[in-house]
Amino acid sequence: MANMREIAKEAGVGISTVSRYINNTGYVSERSRAKIERVIEKSHYKPNELARAIFTRNSKIIGLLVPNISNPYFNELALIIEEYASEQGFSIFLCNTNDDFEKESNYINVLQGHRVAGIITVRSQCKNEYAAYDIPVVSFESYISEKIITVATDNFTGGSLAFNHLYECGCRNLVHVAGPLFADAISERTRGFIESAREKNITVDLIQFETDFQRKMLEANIKTLEDIEKYDGIFVFNDIAAATVIRYFQQKNVRIPEEVQVIGFDNSYIGEFLFPSLTTIEQSVQEVGRTLVEALLKLIKGEAVDQKKIIIKPNLVKRDSTRVSK
Amino acid sequence: MANMREIAKEAGVGISTVSRYINNTGYVSERSRAKIERVIEKSHYKPNELARAIFTRNSKIIGLLVPNISNPYFNELALIIEEYASEQGFSIFLCNTNDDFEKESNYINVLQGHRVAGIITVRSQCKNEYAAYDIPVVSFESYISEKIITVATDNFTGGSLAFNHLYECGCRNLVHVAGPLFADAISERTRGFIESAREKNITVDLIQFETDFQRKMLEANIKTLEDIEKYDGIFVFNDIAAATVIRYFQQKNVRIPEEVQVIGFDNSYIGEFLFPSLTTIEQSVQEVGRTLVEALLKLIKGEAVDQKKIIIKPNLVKRDSTRVSK
């Protein structure tokens, strides 16, 4: 069964009738309806989840929208969400939005069209697009609306922890490598860092990465770091960007932590492979993943979720890229 | 509209009738059919992609099955496939199979149920599961059947390139860190390496990693590497496993390439962040991604694809973890 034209021909009805039937956009007589269905029945049409999903709204699929699966934090998060969801009998359709509003918006439409049971959205840039559908949604990082549950790390405190650690390590000449401005979670890290520095009368210079990690931008990003060896402490907005910073220092033969100290954010696996291994602010990927899945499954089952905002506590993870001064 | 029970009640028919209607598993009178449909019509049912997909088989979704998105090669590949597919108006449902036969098999079912336009499957362990459906399928790495197009790097030659490079670098005392045995693509690398070594009368010791990268296994895998500093050259089956090897040497303060030389496989982005940066055998992720999408789109459009097996040529990418001897 290839298309409406063929259905129409075989059923002996007009194409517009088939279209009204399929799209449910107007009156179709019982007689035409029966003819169309008999043709569909004779075709390869088999009982399937899709039909069940349309009619019963009982699909066992969760749509997961992530901004960038090349960021190790998001790929670990996707794996953990997959693991928890799968224990509960759900499969995941993972959609990479590339931090692109249009892509995200399209995927919301597509997932809704496929009648997924619910959506977990990460660093979303959409608002009204979610309000248009009555599918359960849980958001990580971005606030979408009063109705939608937000799970977020206390990023302000995370930025503050990063400053306090560098300060304790003796750094007084600081630069912050900041991330994309559209992401509240990232700018909160910046704010926490700078405000804590201000309390100690320390000013912070800023460098901006326009996007999350993209391999093709690695060399261009390294260029924006020119001369950062003049600072003694660097806070980078996430671990994969900190990997770029450490790569810069390797090319320049600058020693970490002897000459410059570096701290990241996330505690994603990349930090353990860098040399030296990366001190970072952890937002527990296990806790975030479990919290997102638990909240969404409650909504899917029609249970109440008391908190509309669930806060994850950040922690300092000390490794070799910083050194507490005696 | 929550479930069949409610549809049955409101339509004044039995649940088994609704079930036969929805699952298309038996006779439903025209009268009952019309009643059921009127109830569905009155409900929230709206024209949607899903209905169109069922009836016209014209969905603009490609299902992408990858074994492990925490492997940087596969997450780059997914991004590139997403980019090419999106230029052609297709969205991607990415499914992580975790190298698990049951998960892959379930996802094939789910994607078929959702009437995706086609499937790209990576390092597949399924065979008959694909034959059961008439959806276009293109496979990367694994041979599935005569009907299904396979795209694969010439992994044997890749393993051979890795040996020849280490040999040229003066290494004579070799160990190979091999990957999961179920993956032909990986065991071909092993075979190419060992056969080339045999031609030079060099024997190769073996260490086996049971799975692709999993963060929770990092420390356990590092333990299996105990004493590998006694070798002077190491070929590791992929880059993310080579990152584990390099982490081992960092903890032991063994210098690369002065004391031991290391070569990986893939040319994924992780290699540029390691210290020293990783020499590797490239299987161009751009070329693989583009080839997979082009072949699948031809099948979706009903065009012929001449070659049933498309071979990608591997290349040596020389970085700092090896050193050609003078």
Short mmCIF file of all heavy atoms in Angstrom, two decimals, chain B residues 272-317:
data_model
loop_
_atom_site.label_atom_id
_atom_site.label_comp_id
_atom_site.label_asym_id
_atom_site.label_seq_id
_atom_site.Cartn_x
_atom_site.Cartn_y
_atom_site.Cartn_z
N GLU B 272 42.24 13.59 20.21
CA GLU B 272 42.87 14.91 20.21
C GLU B 272 43.00 15.47 21.61
O GLU B 272 43.74 16.42 21.85
CB GLU B 272 42.07 15.86 19.32
CG GLU B 272 42.03 15.38 17.88
CD GLU B 272 41.37 16.38 16.95
OE1 GLU B 272 41.86 17.51 16.82
OE2 GLU B 272 40.33 16.02 16.35
N PHE B 273 42.23 14.94 22.56
CA PHE B 273 42.26 15.46 23.94
C PHE B 273 43.19 14.67 24.85
O PHE B 273 43.43 15.06 25.98
CB PHE B 273 40.84 15.44 24.53
CG PHE B 273 39.94 16.47 23.95
CD1 PHE B 273 38.67 16.14 23.47
CD2 PHE B 273 40.34 17.80 23.88
CE1 PHE B 273 37.83 17.10 22.94
CE2 PHE B 273 39.50 18.77 23.34
CZ PHE B 273 38.24 18.42 22.87
N LEU B 274 43.64 13.51 24.38
CA LEU B 274 44.50 12.69 25.23
C LEU B 274 45.91 13.30 25.26
O LEU B 274 46.28 14.08 24.38
CB LEU B 274 44.55 11.25 24.70
CG LEU B 274 43.19 10.54 24.70
CD1 LEU B 274 43.31 9.16 24.08
CD2 LEU B 274 42.62 10.44 26.11
N PHE B 275 46.68 12.90 26.28
CA PHE B 275 48.06 13.38 26.36
C PHE B 275 48.98 12.20 26.55
O PHE B 275 48.90 11.51 27.57
CB PHE B 275 48.22 14.36 27.51
CG PHE B 275 49.60 14.95 27.54
CD1 PHE B 275 49.96 15.92 26.61
CD2 PHE B 275 50.54 14.50 28.45
CE1 PHE B 275 51.24 16.46 26.62
CE2 PHE B 275 51.83 15.04 28.45
CZ PHE B 275 52.17 16.01 27.53
N PRO B 276 49.87 11.94 25.61
CA PRO B 276 49.97 12.67 24.34
C PRO B 276 48.78 12.36 23.42
O PRO B 276 48.10 11.36 23.61
CB PRO B 276 51.28 12.10 23.75
CG PRO B 276 51.37 10.72 24.30
CD PRO B 276 50.81 10.80 25.68
N SER B 277 48.61 13.24 22.43
CA SER B 277 47.52 13.01 21.47
C SER B 277 47.74 11.67 20.76
O SER B 277 48.87 11.23 20.59
CB SER B 277 47.46 14.16 20.47
OG SER B 277 48.66 14.20 19.72
N LEU B 278 46.64 11.03 20.39
CA LEU B 278 46.66 9.62 19.99
C LEU B 278 46.87 9.41 18.49
O LEU B 278 46.07 9.89 17.67
CB LEU B 278 45.34 8.97 20.42
CG LEU B 278 45.18 7.46 20.18
CD1 LEU B 278 46.11 6.67 21.11
CD2 LEU B 278 43.72 7.04 20.40
N THR B 279 47.90 8.66 18.14
CA THR B 279 48.02 8.15 16.77
C THR B 279 46.93 7.09 16.59
O THR B 279 46.65 6.31 17.50
CB THR B 279 49.40 7.51 16.55
OG1 THR B 279 50.39 8.53 16.65
CG2 THR B 279 49.51 6.86 15.18
N THR B 280 46.29 7.07 15.42
CA THR B 280 45.15 6.17 15.26
C THR B 280 44.93 5.79 13.80
O THR B 280 45.53 6.39 12.90
CB THR B 280 43.88 6.83 15.86
OG1 THR B 280 42.83 5.87 15.93
CG2 THR B 280 43.40 8.01 15.02
N ILE B 281 44.11 4.78 13.59
CA ILE B 281 43.68 4.41 12.25
C ILE B 281 42.29 5.01 12.04
O ILE B 281 41.35 4.68 12.75
CB ILE B 281 43.61 2.88 12.08
CG1 ILE B 281 44.97 2.22 12.40
CG2 ILE B 281 43.15 2.52 10.66
CD1 ILE B 281 46.14 2.67 11.54
N GLU B 282 42.21 5.91 11.07
CA GLU B 282 40.95 6.60 10.83
C GLU B 282 40.00 5.77 9.98
O GLU B 282 40.40 5.21 8.96
CB GLU B 282 41.22 7.92 10.11
CG GLU B 282 39.96 8.65 9.70
CD GLU B 282 40.25 9.92 8.92
OE1 GLU B 282 40.97 9.85 7.90
OE2 GLU B 282 39.76 10.96 9.34
N GLN B 283 38.74 5.69 10.43
CA GLN B 283 37.68 5.28 9.52
C GLN B 283 36.79 6.51 9.42
O GLN B 283 36.00 6.79 10.33
CB GLN B 283 36.94 4.02 9.98
CG GLN B 283 36.57 3.91 11.44
CD GLN B 283 35.76 2.65 11.73
OE1 GLN B 283 35.33 1.92 10.82
NE2 GLN B 283 35.51 2.38 13.00
N SER B 284 36.93 7.25 8.36
CA SER B 284 36.35 8.59 8.26
C SER B 284 34.87 8.60 8.61
O SER B 284 34.03 8.03 7.91
CB SER B 284 36.54 9.15 6.85
OG SER B 284 35.68 10.26 6.66
N VAL B 285 34.56 9.28 9.70
CA VAL B 285 33.18 9.31 10.19
C VAL B 285 32.29 10.08 9.23
O VAL B 285 31.11 9.75 9.05
CB VAL B 285 33.18 9.85 11.65
CG1 VAL B 285 33.46 11.33 11.71
CG2 VAL B 285 31.90 9.50 12.38
N GLN B 286 32.86 11.09 8.57
CA GLN B 286 32.11 11.83 7.55
C GLN B 286 31.72 10.92 6.39
O GLN B 286 30.58 10.90 5.95
CB GLN B 286 32.96 12.99 6.99
CG GLN B 286 33.19 14.15 7.94
CD GLN B 286 31.97 15.04 8.11
OE1 GLN B 286 31.00 14.93 7.36
NE2 GLN B 286 31.99 15.89 9.12
N GLU B 287 32.71 10.17 5.91
CA GLU B 287 32.48 9.30 4.75
C GLU B 287 31.50 8.18 5.11
O GLU B 287 30.59 7.87 4.34
CB GLU B 287 33.82 8.72 4.28
CG GLU B 287 33.72 8.00 2.96
CD GLU B 287 35.06 7.39 2.52
OE1 GLU B 287 36.10 7.75 3.12
OE2 GLU B 287 35.04 6.57 1.59
N VAL B 288 31.69 7.59 6.29
CA VAL B 288 30.79 6.52 6.72
C VAL B 288 29.35 7.05 6.85
O VAL B 288 28.40 6.47 6.32
CB VAL B 288 31.25 5.91 8.07
CG1 VAL B 288 30.19 4.98 8.65
CG2 VAL B 288 32.57 5.16 7.90
N GLY B 289 29.21 8.18 7.52
CA GLY B 289 27.88 8.76 7.73
C GLY B 289 27.18 9.09 6.42
O GLY B 289 26.02 8.73 6.20
N ARG B 290 27.93 9.75 5.52
CA ARG B 290 27.33 10.16 4.25
C ARG B 290 26.94 8.93 3.42
O ARG B 290 25.86 8.87 2.83
CB ARG B 290 28.33 11.02 3.46
CG ARG B 290 27.68 11.82 2.34
CD ARG B 290 28.73 12.51 1.47
NE ARG B 290 29.67 11.54 0.95
CZ ARG B 290 30.99 11.58 1.16
NH1 ARG B 290 31.52 12.56 1.86
NH2 ARG B 290 31.77 10.64 0.65
N THR B 291 27.83 7.92 3.41
CA THR B 291 27.56 6.71 2.62
C THR B 291 26.31 6.00 3.13
O THR B 291 25.46 5.56 2.34
CB THR B 291 28.79 5.76 2.71
OG1 THR B 291 29.94 6.49 2.30
CG2 THR B 291 28.60 4.54 1.83
N LEU B 292 26.17 5.89 4.44
CA LEU B 292 25.00 5.22 5.02
C LEU B 292 23.71 5.94 4.65
O LEU B 292 22.73 5.33 4.22
CB LEU B 292 25.14 5.15 6.55
CG LEU B 292 26.19 4.18 7.09
CD1 LEU B 292 26.47 4.46 8.57
CD2 LEU B 292 25.74 2.72 6.91
N VAL B 293 23.72 7.27 4.80
CA VAL B 293 22.50 8.03 4.52
C VAL B 293 22.16 7.97 3.03
O VAL B 293 21.01 7.74 2.65
CB VAL B 293 22.63 9.50 5.00
CG1 VAL B 293 21.42 10.32 4.55
CG2 VAL B 293 22.77 9.55 6.51
N GLU B 294 23.18 8.14 2.17
CA GLU B 294 22.91 8.12 0.72
C GLU B 294 22.31 6.78 0.29
O GLU B 294 21.35 6.74 -0.48
CB GLU B 294 24.20 8.39 -0.06
CG GLU B 294 24.52 9.87 -0.13
CD GLU B 294 25.87 10.16 -0.79
OE1 GLU B 294 26.55 9.20 -1.23
OE2 GLU B 294 26.24 11.34 -0.84
N ALA B 295 22.90 5.68 0.80
CA ALA B 295 22.39 4.36 0.41
C ALA B 295 20.95 4.18 0.90
O ALA B 295 20.08 3.72 0.16
CB ALA B 295 23.29 3.26 0.97
N LEU B 296 20.69 4.58 2.13
CA LEU B 296 19.34 4.39 2.67
C LEU B 296 18.32 5.23 1.92
O LEU B 296 17.22 4.75 1.60
CB LEU B 296 19.30 4.72 4.17
CG LEU B 296 17.95 4.37 4.81
CD1 LEU B 296 17.74 2.86 4.87
CD2 LEU B 296 17.82 4.96 6.21
N LEU B 297 18.68 6.49 1.61
CA LEU B 297 17.71 7.35 0.92
C LEU B 297 17.39 6.81 -0.47
O LEU B 297 16.24 6.90 -0.92
CB LEU B 297 18.23 8.79 0.85
CG LEU B 297 18.26 9.51 2.20
CD1 LEU B 297 18.77 10.95 2.03
CD2 LEU B 297 16.88 9.53 2.87
N LYS B 298 18.39 6.22 -1.14
CA LYS B 298 18.11 5.58 -2.43
C LYS B 298 17.08 4.48 -2.27
O LYS B 298 16.12 4.38 -3.03
CB LYS B 298 19.39 5.00 -3.04
CG LYS B 298 20.22 6.04 -3.76
CD LYS B 298 21.35 5.36 -4.54
CE LYS B 298 22.22 6.41 -5.23
NZ LYS B 298 23.36 5.81 -5.92
N LEU B 299 17.28 3.62 -1.27
CA LEU B 299 16.33 2.52 -1.04
C LEU B 299 14.94 3.06 -0.72
O LEU B 299 13.94 2.54 -1.20
CB LEU B 299 16.81 1.64 0.12
CG LEU B 299 18.11 0.86 -0.10
CD1 LEU B 299 18.45 0.06 1.15
CD2 LEU B 299 18.00 -0.06 -1.31
N ILE B 300 14.90 4.11 0.09
CA ILE B 300 13.59 4.69 0.47
C ILE B 300 12.86 5.20 -0.77
O ILE B 300 11.65 5.04 -0.91
CB ILE B 300 13.78 5.80 1.53
CG1 ILE B 300 14.19 5.18 2.89
CG2 ILE B 300 12.50 6.63 1.70
CD1 ILE B 300 14.58 6.19 3.96
N LYS B 301 13.64 5.81 -1.68
CA LYS B 301 13.03 6.34 -2.92
C LYS B 301 12.76 5.24 -3.94
O LYS B 301 12.28 5.51 -5.04
CB LYS B 301 13.95 7.39 -3.55
CG LYS B 301 14.03 8.68 -2.77
CD LYS B 301 15.01 9.63 -3.47
CE LYS B 301 15.47 10.74 -2.52
NZ LYS B 301 16.79 11.27 -2.93
N GLY B 302 13.14 4.00 -3.62
CA GLY B 302 12.91 2.91 -4.55
C GLY B 302 13.95 2.81 -5.64
O GLY B 302 13.76 2.11 -6.63
N GLU B 303 15.08 3.52 -5.47
CA GLU B 303 16.15 3.43 -6.46
C GLU B 303 17.06 2.25 -6.15
O GLU B 303 17.15 1.80 -5.01
CB GLU B 303 16.99 4.72 -6.47
CG GLU B 303 16.21 5.94 -6.92
CD GLU B 303 16.97 7.24 -6.67
OE1 GLU B 303 18.19 7.19 -6.46
OE2 GLU B 303 16.31 8.30 -6.67
N ALA B 304 17.77 1.78 -7.16
CA ALA B 304 18.67 0.64 -6.95
C ALA B 304 20.00 1.11 -6.36
O ALA B 304 20.47 2.21 -6.66
CB ALA B 304 18.92 -0.06 -8.28
N VAL B 305 20.57 0.28 -5.50
CA VAL B 305 21.94 0.52 -5.04
C VAL B 305 22.77 -0.65 -5.58
O VAL B 305 22.50 -1.80 -5.26
CB VAL B 305 22.01 0.57 -3.50
CG1 VAL B 305 23.44 0.81 -3.05
CG2 VAL B 305 21.09 1.65 -2.96
N ASP B 306 23.74 -0.32 -6.43
CA ASP B 306 24.47 -1.37 -7.14
C ASP B 306 25.27 -2.26 -6.20
O ASP B 306 25.15 -3.47 -6.22
CB ASP B 306 25.42 -0.76 -8.17
CG ASP B 306 24.65 0.07 -9.19
OD1 ASP B 306 23.44 -0.23 -9.37
OD2 ASP B 306 25.23 1.00 -9.78
N GLN B 307 26.10 -1.64 -5.36
CA GLN B 307 26.96 -2.44 -4.50
C GLN B 307 26.21 -2.90 -3.27
O GLN B 307 25.57 -2.10 -2.59
CB GLN B 307 28.13 -1.59 -4.02
CG GLN B 307 29.17 -1.27 -5.05
CD GLN B 307 30.17 -0.27 -4.47
OE1 GLN B 307 29.91 0.93 -4.50
NE2 GLN B 307 31.26 -0.76 -3.92
N LYS B 308 26.33 -4.18 -2.95
CA LYS B 308 25.73 -4.69 -1.72
C LYS B 308 26.69 -4.51 -0.54
O LYS B 308 26.30 -4.58 0.60
CB LYS B 308 25.35 -6.17 -1.87
CG LYS B 308 24.12 -6.39 -2.72
CD LYS B 308 22.87 -5.86 -2.02
CE LYS B 308 21.65 -5.93 -2.92
NZ LYS B 308 20.55 -5.08 -2.42
N LYS B 309 27.99 -4.34 -0.88
CA LYS B 309 28.96 -4.09 0.18
C LYS B 309 29.81 -2.90 -0.20
O LYS B 309 30.43 -2.90 -1.27
CB LYS B 309 29.83 -5.34 0.40
CG LYS B 309 30.85 -5.16 1.48
CD LYS B 309 31.20 -6.45 2.21
CE LYS B 309 31.98 -6.09 3.48
NZ LYS B 309 32.35 -7.26 4.27
N ILE B 310 29.80 -1.87 0.62
CA ILE B 310 30.56 -0.66 0.33
C ILE B 310 31.70 -0.57 1.34
O ILE B 310 31.47 -0.59 2.55
CB ILE B 310 29.65 0.60 0.42
CG1 ILE B 310 28.45 0.44 -0.54
CG2 ILE B 310 30.44 1.87 0.11
CD1 ILE B 310 27.37 1.50 -0.39
N ILE B 311 32.92 -0.51 0.80
CA ILE B 311 34.10 -0.56 1.67
C ILE B 311 34.69 0.84 1.86
O ILE B 311 34.90 1.57 0.89
CB ILE B 311 35.20 -1.48 1.06
CG1 ILE B 311 34.64 -2.89 0.83
CG2 ILE B 311 36.43 -1.52 1.96
CD1 ILE B 311 34.29 -3.64 2.08
N ILE B 312 34.95 1.18 3.11
CA ILE B 312 35.59 2.46 3.45
C ILE B 312 37.07 2.18 3.70
O ILE B 312 37.42 1.27 4.45
CB ILE B 312 34.96 3.08 4.72
CG1 ILE B 312 33.43 3.19 4.60
CG2 ILE B 312 35.60 4.43 5.06
CD1 ILE B 312 32.92 4.15 3.57
N LYS B 313 37.92 3.00 3.09
CA LYS B 313 39.37 2.79 3.20
C LYS B 313 39.89 3.43 4.49
O LYS B 313 39.63 4.60 4.76
CB LYS B 313 40.02 3.45 1.98
CG LYS B 313 41.47 3.09 1.74
CD LYS B 313 41.95 3.75 0.43
CE LYS B 313 43.43 4.06 0.48
NZ LYS B 313 43.80 5.18 1.36
N PRO B 314 40.64 2.66 5.30
CA PRO B 314 41.20 3.25 6.52
C PRO B 314 42.50 4.00 6.22
O PRO B 314 43.18 3.72 5.24
CB PRO B 314 41.50 2.01 7.38
CG PRO B 314 41.77 0.92 6.39
CD PRO B 314 40.96 1.23 5.15
N ASN B 315 42.84 4.98 7.09
CA ASN B 315 44.07 5.77 6.93
C ASN B 315 44.79 5.91 8.26
O ASN B 315 44.14 6.04 9.30
CB ASN B 315 43.74 7.21 6.50
CG ASN B 315 42.91 7.25 5.27
OD1 ASN B 315 43.34 6.81 4.22
ND2 ASN B 315 41.68 7.76 5.40
N LEU B 316 46.10 5.96 8.19
CA LEU B 316 46.88 6.26 9.40
C LEU B 316 46.82 7.75 9.70
O LEU B 316 47.05 8.57 8.82
CB LEU B 316 48.34 5.83 9.18
CG LEU B 316 49.32 6.21 10.29
CD1 LEU B 316 49.07 5.37 11.55
CD2 LEU B 316 50.77 6.04 9.83
N VAL B 317 46.49 8.09 10.95
CA VAL B 317 46.58 9.49 11.40
C VAL B 317 47.65 9.55 12.48
O VAL B 317 47.50 9.03 13.58
CB VAL B 317 45.22 9.98 11.98
CG1 VAL B 317 45.36 11.39 12.54
CG2 VAL B 317 44.15 9.94 10.90
#
